[in-house]
Amino acid sequence: MNDSIFDPHAQISNADLKIIASLERLGEGFRVLLWEKAKVLGISPIQIQILIFVQFHGDEKCKVTYLAQEFNLTKPTISEAVKSLEQKGFIERRAESSDSRSHTLHLTEAGNSAVAQTVHFANPMLGSLAKIPFTEKGRLLEQLLDVIAHLQRAGIISVQRMCFSCRFYQKNGEGHFCQFLNKSLITNELRVDCGEFEVAE
Ligand code: SF4
């Protein structure tokens, strides 16, 4: 039987187990900070995530189907969260001019105010990176993107809008090149959530 990531004895001599366990701990920090904001505002963590997502992404992504993929949840779960946000006055649906059956989500004034109160919820985690030198941060980013790309290829997480999944990305020797921006990217410039991203074939 394979060792469990959560078995402290198995972890002792296995760096792979410890790395994945560490990522799980980071995710826990994210969840704790999100819950703190959710309690203050009286809305659920996923509702906060939806509001923040809508703030920073274009209409084509602010739809129930896209959000379900984004957060790896079912459409009914996202629909329920969106309905609650509408009832609370944080979000409104607008029919698309090209197809009145399709709706995009938009923040109301109250929604913008809720985002202003929550959008920095994960920032306390930034301090943990303060001692890592610039070039090592780039290397860490590159390795994390590699891990995410692998999880995506394995079907564990949905498509990510990052360089390693993008049709404009080219490996350039040991470096990276973006065909959209028409420039080489140093590792620190690799993107996790890129507005110009288009999924690779
Ligand atoms: S378009 Fe964006 S995601 Fe795609 S390679 Fe360029 S910078 Fe990376």
Side-chain angles (χ1 to χ4, degrees):
M1 194 172 75
N2 286 341
D3 290 328
S4 167
I5 288 161
F6 306 104
D7 178 352
H9 295 290
Q11 286 179 9
I12 290 171
S13 57
N14 188 325
D16 288 2
L17 299 185
K18 283 182 277 197
I19 289 167
I20 299 299
S22 301
L23 293 175
E24 196 270 341
R25 294 288 84 202
L26 289 175
E28 188 60 26
F30 188 86
R31 278 192 294 276
V32 165
L33 293 168
L34 188 52
W35 265 108
E36 279 176 11
K37 286 291 177 195
K39 276 186 273 179
V40 171
L41 267 185
I43 61 177
S44 70
I46 186 60
Q47 288 173 347
I48 290 181
Q49 288 177 292
I50 291 171
L51 290 175
I52 293 174
F53 185 88
V54 170
Q55 165 86 353
F56 291 118
H57 296 85
D59 287 359
E60 75 286 357
K61 297 185 180 77
C62 296
K63 298 178 182 180
V64 167
T65 304
Y66 194 98
L67 291 171
Q69 287 172 1
E70 175 73 17
F71 295 110
N72 291 293
L73 292 169
T74 64
K75 267 178 75 174
T77 302
I78 292 292
S79 287
E80 198 55 40
V82 167
K83 199 167 134 198
S84 174
L85 287 169
E86 273 185 294
Q87 287 166 348
K88 288 171 178 148
F90 291 137
I91 255 181
E92 61 186 21
R93 287 176 206 247
R94 290 184 203 151
E96 287 194 281
S97 51
S98 56
D99 179 1
S100 60
R101 290 165 305 173
S102 178
H103 293 83
T104 54
L105 306 175
H106 301 266
L107 295 175
T108 62
E109 209 175 309
N112 279 316
S113 167
V115 168
Q117 293 175 65
T118 55
V119 69
H120 300 301
F121 80 88
N123 285 33
M125 296 179 85
L126 288 173
S128 61
L129 304 176
K131 287 188 182 155
I132 304 178
F134 181 81
T135 49
E136 284 185 37
K137 273 182 197 164
R139 184 74 193 122
L140 177 59
L141 173 63
E142 187 179 40
Q143 288 169 336
L144 286 172
L145 293 185
D146 261 336
V147 171
I148 295 168
H150 184 91
L151 293 174
Q152 185 193 320
R153 284 195 298 274
I156 295 171
I157 54 175
S158 56
V159 169
Q160 305 294 307
R161 296 177 296 278
M162 60 177 195
C163 290
F164 292 173
S165 312
C166 179
R167 78 179 184 90
F168 298 118
Y169 173 79
Q170 270 187 336
K171 187 88 179 134
N172 187 13
E174 284 303 298
H176 314 278
F177 188 83
C178 172
Q179 291 172 310
F180 182 89
L181 301 172
N182 196 26
K183 70 183 275 259
S184 296
L185 304 173
I186 62 167
T187 50
N188 297 60
E189 291 176 315
L190 290 169
R191 297 186 186 183
V192 180
D193 187 358
C194 177
E196 284 71 51
F197 168 87
E198 287 185 22
V199 68
E201 291 301 313

